[in-house]
Amino acid sequence: MNILHIDSSPRRQSHSRQLSAAVVERLLEVAPGASVSRRDLGTEPLPHAVADYAVALSTPTTLAAPPTGSLDVSEALIQEVEAADVIVIGTPMHNFAIPSALKAWIDQILRVGRTMKSTPAGKVGMLPDRPVFIGVASGAIFSGERANQPDFLTPYLSLALSSIGLKTQQFLPLQATAFLDWNDTPLARKKVLAALDLSVVREPRGMRSGPAALSSTG
């Protein structure tokens, strides 16, 4: 099994990084032979869309004959996604939504004609589905009865991933971190991980004729 592990927090000891690392650890417990590929958007941010990339995506004609090198970064990132059997994303909530570092990644992997196509009914994903686990850390509370701020992160990221075919998603929110004593974070993280459902994780594609679900370790 190949795991693509993505982080987007600029802080090396952030809650979202620890949460995503814990998810990867659980995956390795049930699939100890799995490989892990890292994409650290927080410490090694991607360039935001540049002129040549915008030109390439602007019309069907330019997509068919894009400027030289304009799609190289996009293609490399898409191939990372294609090589993964499972994707784990760690992200903080910045101002009600995802950080710009994660948005830069999304802008490179959502590509008409490569990962999605436009139809009269809307965007249709072109990539095979695979599980995506998203660990979200928020200083405030954005879901549940005690929510005191809006949540644009979850619906946006869910739609973006679904639009390229990644529809098996699980969001794992760690909320109110601004009021959480650092010594209490392991317990808070454990409570979030209790909802982790690894039954959606399958044997790597092509390994078996019939998929066998991996069981969650709790």
Side-chain angles (χ1 to χ4, degrees):
M1 183 170 71
N2 299 318
I3 303 168
L4 176 58
H5 181 192
I6 300 170
D7 275 316
S8 57
S9 173
R11 293 196 301 138
R12 292 186 180 274
Q13 299 300 320
S14 71
H15 292 287
S16 64
R17 285 178 179 274
Q18 294 192 37
L19 184 55
S20 69
V23 174
V24 171
E25 184 178 344
R26 291 290 182 89
L27 287 166
L28 291 176
E29 287 175 0
V30 297
S35 62
V36 181
S37 298
R38 283 289 274 137
R39 172 62 66 175
D40 196 329
L41 304 172
T43 60
E44 298 180 17
L46 295 168
H48 288 271
V50 296
D52 281 353
Y53 183 68
V55 168
L57 270 60
S58 61
T59 69
T61 300
T62 53
L63 264 178
T68 302
S70 61
L71 301 180
D72 288 356
V73 173
S74 171
E75 188 60 31
L77 296 173
I78 292 170
Q79 288 181 15
E80 283 183 352
V81 171
E82 290 178 319
D85 298 293
V86 182
I87 301 172
V88 178
I89 299 174
T91 180
M93 176 178 279
H94 282 178
N95 299 319
F96 318 117
I98 61 173
S100 63
L102 185 53
K103 180 63 164 58
W105 178 75
I106 289 172
D107 287 343
Q108 297 280 358
I109 66 167
L110 269 65
R111 204 169 99 207
V112 173
R114 178 63 173 86
T115 58
M116 64 182 180
K117 57 185 176 181
S118 294
T119 74
K123 299 291 192 297
V124 176
M126 298 173 65
L127 300 185
D129 191 17
R130 68 212 70 198
V132 184
F133 299 99
I134 305 106
V136 182
S138 171
I141 302 174
F142 62 88
S143 68
E145 295 180 355
R146 297 172 56 216
N148 57 11
Q149 70 174 42
D151 172 20
F152 298 107
L153 185 154
T154 305
Y156 169 75
L157 193 51
S158 179
L159 178 60
L161 295 171
S162 295
S163 70
I164 61 174
L166 309 184
K167 297 182 178 182
T168 302
Q169 308 164 7
Q170 185 174 5
F171 286 83
L172 301 161
L174 178 59
Q175 305 184 76
T177 60
F179 311 98
L180 185 63
D181 186 280
W182 193 255
N183 293 327
D184 296 329
T185 57
L187 179 58
R189 192 164 55 247
K190 183 177 180 180
K191 290 180 179 179
V192 173
L193 291 171
L196 182 63
D197 179 12
L198 296 184
S199 67
V200 296
V201 179
R202 308 287 179 172
E203 292 285 350
R205 294 178 296 279
M207 292 293 291
R208 293 190 178 187
S209 58
L214 298 174
S215 62
S216 171
T217 59

